[in-house]
Amino acid sequence: MTNRKVLTIKAVAQALLDKGLLTQEQFTDVIVQGEARTARLQGQHPGYARRFAQSPVLPSPAEVISSFNLEIPGGNGRILTEDAITQVIAKAAGIPYLKIDPLKLDLEVVTSPIPRPFAMKHLIVPVAENGETITIAVADPFSVDEIESLLRLKKVNVERVLSSKSDILKILREFFGFRASILAAQNESAATVDLGNLEQFVRMKGHHDIDGSDRNIVNAVEFILTYAFDQRASDIHIEPKRDMSLIRFRMDGVLHNIHTIPKPLHLPIVSRIKMLSRMDLAEKRRPQDGRIKTNHGDREVELRVSTLPVAFGEKVVIRIFDPDILMKDLDGIGFYPREYQLYNGFIRKPNGIILVTGPTGSGKTTTLYSTLRTLSSPEVNVVTIEDPIEMVMEEFNQVGIQSGIGVTFGTILRNILRQDPDIIMVGEIRDRETAENAVQAALTGHLVLSTLHTNDAPSSVTRLLDLGVPPFLISSTVIGIVAQRLVRCICPLCKRERQLSGEEQAFLGLDARHTRVFYGDGCTACRGTGYRGRSGIFEVMDFTENLIARLGDEADTAELQEIALRDGMIPLRQVAVRKMLEGVTTYEEVIAVT
Ligand SMILES: [Zn+2]
C-alpha cells in the first residue's frame, strides 16, 4: 500500500463550503481548531469503541467537523451532522451514500464474508449480497485496494457505498457482538436440548464468577442494556411469544421493536436478568420485582426490573432511571422564566403544601425529584414516601408503601412526623387519610410536596375539597399548584417549517401573525417519528389573596380558574402553543397533550 490517499479535514471542509453547508466563518473555525478537536476526540473515545475496537480508530474528518455542532446556513436551525457530511463526501468521491438501517441487515451477510478484526481495522461492513456481487459500506472513500484484494481472493465483485463511521462502528458492535452472542448461545443450547438444564446451568454459574460458555448470554444481556442506554430508552420489554421472543424499547414515550431473539434463548436471558436483580430464579409463576445498579459511561444508572408470567413464559420489563434524565436542574425541565420564578418561590417557603398534578407519564416524578435535589443539603432532612420507590437516592430517606400489610401513605406519614423531617415528599395524595396527614404536617412546620391525579391546577382544589379537606385548611396550607404535561420535541435533524391552516389557527385561537410552525419529517436518528426528547409544560397557580378570599366562599372550579387567570396564571394550552410557535414542538402534540 503505497501513497494511499488520506481524507483531510481541510478537503472535507472545502467540499462543505462549496456546497453551501458551511459559512466562510465556520469554515475558518473548523480549519483553525480542527487539529485540537481531533486530539480531544481521540482522548474521549465512546465507550463502545474502547471496549470493542481491536485497534484504536482515529477520529474521521466527518466526526471531527460534526463535533462542532454547526448550524447549517439557512437550515432553520438544523445541525450539520456526520451523516450530512458523509453524504457530501460520497458525492465528491463518486460513491453512492447509504444510511444503514440495522433492522434491514442480514446477520449472515454482515458477519460471514469478512473477519471481524479486518472489518474493525478498516471500518467496513458488508451490507448486501446479490449473487456474485457483494455491497460493502466503507467509512473512508479511499479504502479501495485492501478491500478489493481481500475479496478478489474470494472471487466476488465488490460494490462500495459510503456510510458514516458511527453507523459502521455501531453495526460492527451490534452484529459481531449481540447477534453473534445470540447465535453462539443458540448453538450451545441446541446441543444441550433440555432448556431446563441450560437454565439450571446459568444459575449454578451465578454462584461463582461468570465465565465459560454462558458468557454469550452475559454478553447478550450487556448488549441489550448498553444499546438501550445509547438510545436513551426509558423501558426495555422482553416479551415471550409462541415462536420467538421480542425485545422492545420505549423511546420518548413510544414502543419500538428492536430485536427478535430465538425462543430457546428467552429463558436463559430472563434468568440472567433475574440473577442480576437478585430475584428468585426458581420462581416463575409469580410476578417479581428487583433492582440493578449499573453504570453507563461514568454515570450511575438504576434499573427497576419486574417479571410477569404470561402465556408463553415470563415477560420482563426493565425501567431505566438515569439520574441525568430523571433528575435535572430545575431550570432545565422546561419552565418559562415567569413560572420558574413562581415555583422557585413556592419551594423556598419553610412550610406548606406544593402540589404537582397531571396524568400518569406527565413528568411529575422528575419535577419532584429535581425539586428535592435542589433543596437537599446535609442540614435538611428529606423524607419521601413512595409507591413504589422510583429511584434509590442516598441523600433522601425513602420509605416504600406496602399496602398488602396495611402500610399506607397515611400510616407512614403519621410515623414519619415523629422523625422530625424538614421536607416530606408524598408520592400521591389519593385518600382522605393521606390528605389529612399532609395538611397536619404542613400545619406543624413542614414543607410537603405531593402529586394529585387531576388535569389542571384549579381542579386540584376541588379534588382536595372532595377528599374532605375544609376550605380554610386548604387556604392556610397550600402554597401553590403546578399542572404539567410532557410534549415531544421536534427532532433537530429533520425539522421542517410549515404554515398552520385556517382551521388549525381558529382551533387554537391564533391570529394571522402566528402561522409559522415546525414539524419533524422523520429520519433515521428519530426512527422516522420526527421527535427526539421531551420537554415539560407547566401551568403554575399561585395562591393569591383573591384566590384565598374566594376559596372561603366555596367557589367552584370554573370560578377559581377565572380568578387564577385574572391573577396572571397562564393555562397549559397557552404554554404549549408558545412551545409550538418557538419550534420546540408540533401542532399535533399541542392538541394531543392539552
Ligand atoms: Zn429526525
Side-chain angles (χ1 to χ4, degrees), residues 491 493-494 522-526 530-532:
C491 169
L493 303 180
C494 57
C523 64
T524 36
C526 57
Y531 295 100
R532 264 180 104 182

Side-chain angles (χ1 to χ4, degrees), residues 251-498:
M251 293 181 271
D252 296 330
V254 182
L255 273 174
H256 295 269
N257 292 355
I258 300 294
H259 292 297
T260 57
I261 51 177
K263 189 63 189 273
L265 298 185
H266 180 77
L267 202 58
I269 284 182
V270 169
S271 291
R272 171 71 187 155
I273 294 168
K274 285 167 78 176
M275 195 163 77
L276 287 172
S277 41
R278 302 212 179 96
M279 290 182 191
D280 179 357
L281 284 173
E283 177 60 80
K284 297 190 185 69
R285 296 184 179 184
R286 271 181 242 277
Q288 293 189 69
D289 289 305
R291 286 171 192 280
I292 305 174
K293 263 217 193 276
T294 179
N295 65 301
H296 177 221
D298 45 11
R299 297 206 312 271
E300 204 170 72
V301 178
E302 168 139 354
L303 309 175
R304 210 165 76 204
V305 185
S306 59
T307 64
L308 183 71
V310 294
F312 298 110
E314 273 181 294
K315 175 181 167 165
V316 175
V317 176
I318 304 175
R319 295 195 65 192
I320 302 172
F321 294 98
D322 184 335
D324 272 21
I325 295 172
L326 195 61
M327 290 211 291
K328 298 179 181 173
D329 288 334
L330 260 188
D331 55 4
I333 58 178
F335 275 114
Y336 280 120
R338 180 189 167 276
E339 279 70 29
Y340 178 66
Q341 229 168 30
L342 270 175
Y343 184 68
N344 213 28
F346 296 167
I347 65 174
R348 303 291 164 184
K349 296 253 168 83
N351 60 293
I353 298 175
I354 300 164
L355 295 169
V356 180
T357 81
T360 308
S362 56
K364 290 175 294 197
T365 309
T366 301
T367 303
L368 289 183
Y369 271 132
S370 304
T371 305
L372 292 180
R373 187 165 72 166
T374 305
L375 296 174
S376 84
S377 72
E379 302 83 50
V380 177
N381 183 6
V382 176
V383 178
T384 74
I385 310 168
E386 301 167 72
D387 183 19
I389 294 171
E390 295 255 323
M391 185 165 150
V392 178
M393 295 301 307
E394 265 170 43
E395 60 256 61
F396 311 150
N397 304 293
Q398 295 169 294
V399 185
I401 299 286
Q402 291 164 282
S403 39
I405 54 168
V407 182
T408 62
F409 277 119
T411 51
I412 296 177
L413 193 49
R414 210 165 43 231
N415 284 302
I416 267 175
L417 288 178
R418 296 193 198 116
Q419 302 220 334
D420 190 32
D422 300 293
I423 300 169
I424 305 167
M425 191 259 260
V426 182
E428 189 186 341
I429 296 181
R430 52 172 91 131
D431 53 36
R432 185 181 189 132
E433 190 193 9
T434 311
E436 280 171 358
N437 283 300
V439 166
Q440 204 53 42
L443 287 173
T444 50
H446 305 93
L447 189 65
V448 180
L449 297 159
S450 190
T451 70
L452 271 182
H453 212 85
T454 52
N455 286 328
D456 56 26
S459 61
S460 304
V461 176
T462 319
R463 175 94 182 104
L464 286 179
L465 291 169
D466 291 345
L467 285 173
V469 185
F472 78 95
L473 279 182
I474 296 177
S475 56
S476 58
T477 55
V478 178
I479 304 166
I481 303 178
V482 176
Q484 83 167 92
R485 297 287 188 281
L486 289 176
V487 288
R488 289 188 288 167
C489 300
I490 298 171
C491 169
L493 303 180
C494 57
K495 192 172 176 180
R496 302 273 184 280
E497 194 181 316
R498 75 173 180 96

Side-chain angles (χ1 to χ4, degrees), residues 116-147:
R116 173 187 156 139
F118 190 86
M120 271 299 191
K121 183 164 178 230
H122 297 291
L123 292 174
I124 54 178
V125 170
V127 287
E129 205 172 11
N130 187 2
E132 297 293 278
T133 305
I134 176 164
T135 306
I136 296 206
V138 299
D140 178 351
F142 296 127
S143 62
V144 185
D145 301 346
E146 55 267 47
I147 298 160

Side-chain angles (χ1 to χ4, degrees), residues 203-224:
R203 179 159 67 112
M204 300 216 338
K205 285 281 182 164
H207 295 301
H208 314 285
D209 275 345
I210 312 285
D211 64 347
S213 31
D214 66 355
R215 197 189 63 231
N216 295 308
I217 294 294
V218 173
N219 284 346
V221 169
E222 195 181 327
F223 282 118
I224 295 168

